[in-house]
Amino acid sequence: MFVLVEMVDTVRIPPWSFHRQLNDAIAEELNKKLANKVVYNVGLCICLYDITKLEDSYIFPGDGASHTKVHFRYVVFHPFLDEILVGKIKGCSAEGVHVSLGFFDDIIIPPESLQQPTKFDEAEQVWMWEYETDEGAHDLYMDQGEEIRFRVVDEVFIDTSPSGPSAKKEGPSAAATAPPAGAEDSAQQKEAPYTLIGSVSEPGLGLLSWWNS
Amino acid sequence: MEVRDANAAMLSNYEVYQLLTDLKEKRKEMVKNKHSTGQQNLNTIMYETLKYLSKTPCAHQNPDTVKKFLTSMLPHKLTKAEKLQLLNHRPQTAVEIQLMVEESEERLTEEQIDELIQKVTDVLPGDPQKEADASADPEMETDQ
């Protein structure tokens, strides 16, 4: 589920933090910059693992702060392909079942990857598996809040950096867990920078309650 | 910012859980003025991730059990990804093992699958509460 990513960055320490230990100040700056943010094609950054190398700190003319090149490793949420994960159902829509892991919300299981045959109940807005046994058909509902085991089949990274003054004003999409604060563009939907596509079409996958004897 | 290696190492849930718990302890000690506005993202992700991981089997593991588990898995010739999934999920049924181990029908016989389940249950600690409930209720005991 989690991987270690080696990165290099230049960290700016303002003069009022000079009294602090350099390592601590740098760790705080890196966490401030990366924690709970998605890095394109890398994953959702969780927290700093360690600092492997600190190069010399420089002070440039015009800016009193010190700039240090830091080599570090960061813990990133990036499940590998075909990995099995357990999450909670956030809700169902016509697009499929939305699953959340608490710290990561943008997981979708499209209708074709649900256990077949599955039907969408419009009245209750819920997907249900029509499970046939010798005794008859059971309708197994995929209710909100239920724990679900699924396989990661695909991941989609979208570059949400601001597109420039000519396009409509878009705020850089950052946190994957915190809800979009304040103004919401009714015309535009905030696209998730990192989405996981899941599948439950194999025996053993789906709601945990279906497979616990 | 430059990414040198996007996949330097795989981490087990236990390692991340340990790291976050230690970080939480350290931050509690530095209470003074560290609750500055910039740290909100870190607080959020730490809280949510710890909440998620504390409900998984990794919350009951320690470095010895992980080492013992990996040693006991040696004869089965599983890939790193498969061993990692077994460690993170602690499967109790054959169906779960078949999901996590690729081509399990060809690589493992039924006996080997049962052996795997037995090893996983023995070496990796489960949820002490759930197991106390299970042994207290005689109807739930399965015959081996």
Side-chain angles (χ1 to χ4, degrees):
Chain A
M1 218 190 296
F2 299 102
V3 291
L4 218 51
V5 178
E6 283 177 6
M7 299 195 235
V8 182
D9 197 10
T10 308
V11 176
R12 178 183 181 269
I13 305 291
W16 48 88
S17 302
F18 281 177
H19 66 284
R20 300 179 62 191
Q21 285 290 328
L22 185 62
N23 283 42
D24 296 338
I26 287 186
E28 188 180 314
E29 283 300 313
L30 286 173
N31 277 327
K32 212 189 288 191
K33 178 173 179 180
L34 290 173
N36 203 15
K37 305 240 170 90
V38 172
V39 176
Y40 187 62
N41 281 342
V42 171
L44 173 68
C45 297
I46 308 286
C47 74
L48 182 71
Y49 185 74
D50 63 1
I51 298 175
T52 45
K53 186 166 150 190
L54 279 176
E55 296 187 21
D56 292 334
S57 307
Y58 292 94
I59 297 185
F60 296 112
D63 183 7
S66 77
H67 299 255
T68 321
K69 198 159 176 193
V70 188
H71 299 241
F72 60 97
R73 293 189 290 189
Y74 219 85
V75 176
V76 175
F77 169 71
H78 189 191
F80 52 86
L81 195 63
D82 290 342
E83 185 171 354
I84 304 289
L85 294 176
V86 176
K88 272 214 173 100
I89 297 185
K90 215 167 55 171
C92 296
S93 74
E95 295 154 356
V97 180
H98 300 269
V99 182
S100 159
L101 294 179
F103 59 94
F104 184 73
D105 267 358
D106 304 305
I107 304 173
I108 180 121
I109 306 179
E112 42 292 358
S113 308
L114 296 169
Q115 296 271 13
Q116 296 304 329
T118 313
K119 217 171 56 176
F120 187 52
D121 186 342
E122 288 289 343
E124 293 180 40
Q125 290 286 298
V126 68
W127 285 95
M128 61 183 188
W129 182 25
E130 291 162 332
Y131 182 54
E132 297 250 346
T133 58
D134 304 321
E135 296 135 9
H138 296 268
D139 279 343
L140 298 169
Y141 284 86
M142 301 182 82
D143 292 318
Q144 201 181 17
E146 291 285 340
E147 299 215 325
I148 181 171
R149 189 182 294 132
F150 61 97
R151 192 189 284 280
V152 176
V153 291
D154 200 7
E155 61 187 19
V156 181
F157 280 103
I158 296 177
D159 191 359
T160 52
S161 25
S163 47
S166 50
K168 261 188 271 188
K169 265 209 203 125
E170 275 170 37
S173 174
T177 52
E184 288 162 303
D185 236 337
S186 51
Q188 260 179 346
Q189 240 190 339
K190 268 219 175 99
E191 277 175 340
Y194 179 33
T195 319
L196 287 177
I197 318 281
S199 158
V200 289
S201 58
E202 289 166 58
L205 296 178
L207 265 59
L208 296 186
S209 53
W210 294 350
W211 303 99
N212 288 345
S213 40
Chain B
M1 189 178 77
E2 188 198 324
V3 175
R4 279 281 158 89
D5 188 353
N7 219 323
M10 285 162 65
L11 292 172
S12 66
N13 286 8
Y14 169 69
E15 288 172 281
V16 178
Y17 182 72
Q18 203 54 43
L19 184 74
L20 288 174
T21 328
D22 290 344
L23 190 62
K24 197 165 92 160
E25 290 302 316
K26 257 193 277 181
R27 283 165 65 73
K28 255 195 234 170
E29 282 166 37
M30 311 190 341
V31 172
K32 305 182 258 186
N33 64 337
K34 288 321 164 217
H35 289 230
S36 50
T37 47
Q39 300 291 317
Q40 195 45 46
N41 268 327
L42 180 64
N43 292 341
T44 310
I45 192 76
M46 266 177 57
Y47 170 72
E48 294 285 353
T49 312
L50 275 174
K51 198 164 89 166
Y52 176 80
L53 289 177
S54 59
K55 298 208 209 99
T56 65
C58 79
H60 313 288
Q61 291 168 359
N62 59 60
D64 295 319
T65 58
V66 176
K67 209 169 20 168
K68 232 170 82 175
F69 175 74
L70 289 174
T71 343
S72 71
M73 287 291 123
L74 279 173
H76 293 279
K77 303 224 186 359
L78 298 169
T79 67
K80 191 153 68 158
E82 290 165 357
K83 283 187 278 198
L84 185 66
Q85 288 192 90
L86 294 179
L87 181 64
N88 285 344
H89 287 264
R90 196 178 178 255
Q92 304 274 284
T93 62
V95 179
E96 290 172 74
I97 303 258
Q98 280 166 350
L99 281 175
M100 296 175 196
V101 177
E102 262 178 78
E103 297 179 9
S104 52
E105 302 96 57
E106 291 152 23
R107 285 160 65 191
L108 300 170
T109 64
E110 270 207 43
E111 289 170 355
Q112 283 177 316
I113 295 187
D114 283 331
E115 202 191 319
L116 258 179
I117 299 177
Q118 199 54 46
K119 271 197 199 165
V120 166
T121 319
D122 290 338
V123 178
L124 295 177
D127 189 350
Q129 186 61 45
K130 279 204 203 125
E131 280 171 14
D133 293 339
S135 53
D137 187 355
E139 290 179 299
M140 284 183 65
E141 273 172 16
T142 53
D143 287 346
Q144 279 286 318

